[in-house]
Amino acid sequence: MSELRLHLAKGTVALAPHIALNEANASYELHWIDFSKAEQTQDTYLAINPKGRVPALETEQGILTETAAMLNYISACHPEAALTPQDPWQRAKMEELFLFLAATVHINHAHKMRGHRWSDDPDTYPAMQAKVAQNISENADLIENDYLVGPFAMGDQFTSADIYLFTIARWFAGDGADMSRYPRLSAFLSMMAKRPSVASALKMHI
């Protein structure tokens, strides 16, 4: 195994650490998990990530199983890539965005197809799904007006925050958000998709 091994699946937030590894020019290998075969629930993968989800990043020190932690780790191990702001306030704002994306936006998105995580009654799932477009649109409003302060999330500097935001915001249109309401976010998504580290990863996630 190379120094890093990323376990990932198409259509998931695992795109984020994949992009970060490219951006950092890190040495890594990929291990694809097939959700259509429920490989994430099989003992072989559960031995790597007991949460039964992706991504998981194997390192020489151990295994990381949360996206934000992976982005921070990749950045710390490759300081030359300058993926983390040096200014304490900017760094805190990046962590704030990480937490918002993980704890609020991703959860709102997941209610569209994973209602079983919150209820054992299938009759409640349609109500959860019906709320997704409103919740995601409100999240997009905040990102458009409060978080996307420049061409990048942290202003003029490209950071890990842009990688995470791009990965999550790609889901917004499919979640029912009217992207014509978010010109700055739409421009950001278009700009990011053309970045070499992003374009290279995207080809493998389609």
Side-chain angles (χ1 to χ4, degrees):
M1 184 181 79
S2 62
E3 181 181 353
L4 299 172
R5 189 181 199 203
L6 179 65
H7 300 264
L8 69 173
K10 296 181 178 181
T12 71
V13 74
L15 173 64
H18 189 180
I19 293 172
L21 289 166
N22 285 348
E23 191 70 36
N25 198 27
S27 175
Y28 68 92
E29 60 184 59
L30 301 175
H31 178 229
W32 292 92
I33 304 298
D34 190 340
F35 277 21
S36 69
K37 298 178 181 178
E39 289 181 351
Q40 75 275 20
T41 67
Q42 297 175 9
D43 290 344
T44 301
Y45 185 65
L46 291 176
I48 296 167
N49 185 0
K51 297 172 184 175
R53 300 180 187 179
V54 296
L57 182 66
E58 289 189 72
T59 78
E60 292 180 340
Q61 292 80 27
I63 300 172
L64 295 171
T65 60
E66 294 293 338
T67 300
M70 294 176 208
L71 294 177
N72 284 333
Y73 178 81
I74 293 166
S75 175
C77 290
H78 299 85
E80 69 282 357
L83 294 175
T84 299
Q86 294 302 305
D87 177 74
W89 172 253
Q90 289 288 86
R91 188 179 306 172
K93 290 298 291 183
M94 186 177 81
E95 292 292 342
E96 180 181 271
L97 180 55
F98 277 8
L99 290 167
F100 177 59
L101 293 173
T104 299
V105 187
H106 198 161
I107 300 302
N108 288 338
H109 165 76
H111 276 75
K112 183 173 68 175
M113 75 292 278
R114 307 198 191 284
H116 61 274
R117 291 181 181 172
W118 295 277
S119 174
D120 293 324
D121 182 1
D123 290 340
T124 65
Y125 300 168
M128 295 185 199
Q129 294 166 350
K131 190 72 171 175
V132 169
Q134 178 186 341
N135 287 339
I136 290 296
S137 295
E138 290 175 356
N139 297 159
D141 283 334
L142 279 171
I143 292 168
E144 176 83 4
N145 297 310
D146 298 323
Y147 282 107
L148 201 54
V149 300
F152 300 113
M154 295 293 102
D156 294 328
Q157 179 186 355
F158 176 87
T159 68
S160 295
D162 300 297
I163 296 171
Y164 204 172
L165 176 57
F166 172 78
T167 299
I168 297 289
R170 288 181 69 245
W171 302 337
F172 287 1
D175 287 342
D178 178 2
M179 295 305 291
S180 67
R181 294 176 50 197
Y182 313 112
R184 293 168 65 188
L185 182 56
S186 296
F188 167 81
L189 290 171
S190 178
M191 174 186 65
M192 285 289 294
K194 298 172 184 175
R195 195 174 181 91
S197 63
V198 178
S200 176
L202 281 175
K203 291 177 182 178
M204 304 180 70
H205 287 257
I206 297 174

